[in-house]
């Protein structure tokens, strides 16, 4: 959201380094304020990832020590999976994504960067229901919110890379079938 492209790059690079290596950035004061607002979220996600990693390791150890039988410890530490109608789950994941502006912005910027085309948050929002329809008619399984977001990002990248069709009325981004 910074108007200066160099500031955006510096802040993005500082965030990446902090996420990967835990290196505190040395940024100008205005960018440091923005980073200070983001740091708690980055730290929380790192702690959650570490807890999940420990839980997976514990589950593997319990499976090995119980000889393939489920022990009580294994059952207690196993992450809960959502069950229900697959259409309901994809609609729920899509609704969550629609309400997560930070994630929408991230998907738009990553897709634009990978495909070298301009992708806006509106482009992302416009194609969430299209992706849900695709999931309904495909054999692809989505068993978690992260799997949904990853699948949607791949789907969006494929749409962006479609060739332009003459006569298509596209305003911002070519390659999106829903803009006909």
């Amino acid at each position: 959201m910074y108007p200066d492209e160099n500031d955006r790059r510096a802040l993005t690079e500082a965030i990446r380094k902090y996420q990967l290596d835990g290196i505190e950035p040395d940024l100008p004061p205005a960018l440091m304020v923005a980073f200070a607002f983001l740091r708690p979220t980055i730290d929380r996600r790192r702690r959650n990832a570490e807890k999940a990693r420990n839980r997976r390791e514990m589950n593997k150890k319990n499976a090995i020590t119980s000889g393939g039988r489920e022990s009580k410890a294994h059952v207690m530490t196993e992450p809960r999976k959502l069950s229900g109608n697959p259409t309901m789950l994809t609609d729920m994941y899509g609704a969550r994504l629609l309400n997560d502006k930070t994630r929408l912005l991230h998907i738009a910027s990553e897709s634009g960067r990978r495909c070298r085309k301009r992708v806006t948050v509106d482009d992302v929002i416009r194609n969430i229901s299209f992706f849900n329809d695709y999931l309904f008619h495909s054999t692809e399984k989505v068993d978690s919110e992260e799997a949904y977001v990853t699948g949607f990002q791949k789907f969006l990248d494929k749409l962006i890379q479609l060739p332009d069709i003459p006569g298509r009325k596209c305003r911002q981004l070519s390659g999106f079938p829903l803009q006909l």
Side-chain angles (χ1 to χ4, degrees), residues 99-165:
N99 293 322
D100 190 351
K101 300 300 180 193
T102 305
R103 192 175 264 180
L104 289 171
L105 186 61
H106 175 72
I107 290 172
S109 65
E110 283 298 311
S111 294
R113 182 185 60 79
R114 280 197 299 270
C115 298
R116 295 186 179 141
K117 289 191 178 182
R118 182 172 180 251
V119 181
T120 64
V121 171
D122 291 336
D123 295 321
V124 174
I125 291 171
R126 215 180 354 261
N127 287 286
I128 290 174
S129 63
F130 188 58
F131 178 65
N132 288 349
D133 291 342
Y134 164 78
L135 286 176
F136 180 72
H137 295 292
S138 75
T139 58
E140 195 171 320
K141 301 257 191 240
V142 174
D143 57 349
S144 70
E145 189 170 355
E146 286 305 313
Y148 177 87
V149 172
T150 303
F152 175 71
Q153 208 160 6
K154 290 177 184 174
F155 177 80
L156 188 63
D157 289 350
K158 288 178 185 175
L159 284 178
I160 293 169
Q161 293 174 355
L162 288 174
D164 290 337
I165 299 172

Side-chain angles (χ1 to χ4, degrees), residues 82-96:
L82 292 175
S83 61
N85 181 346
T87 304
M88 180 187 74
L89 290 176
T90 57
D91 289 342
M92 180 185 70
Y93 295 143
R96 284 185 186 170

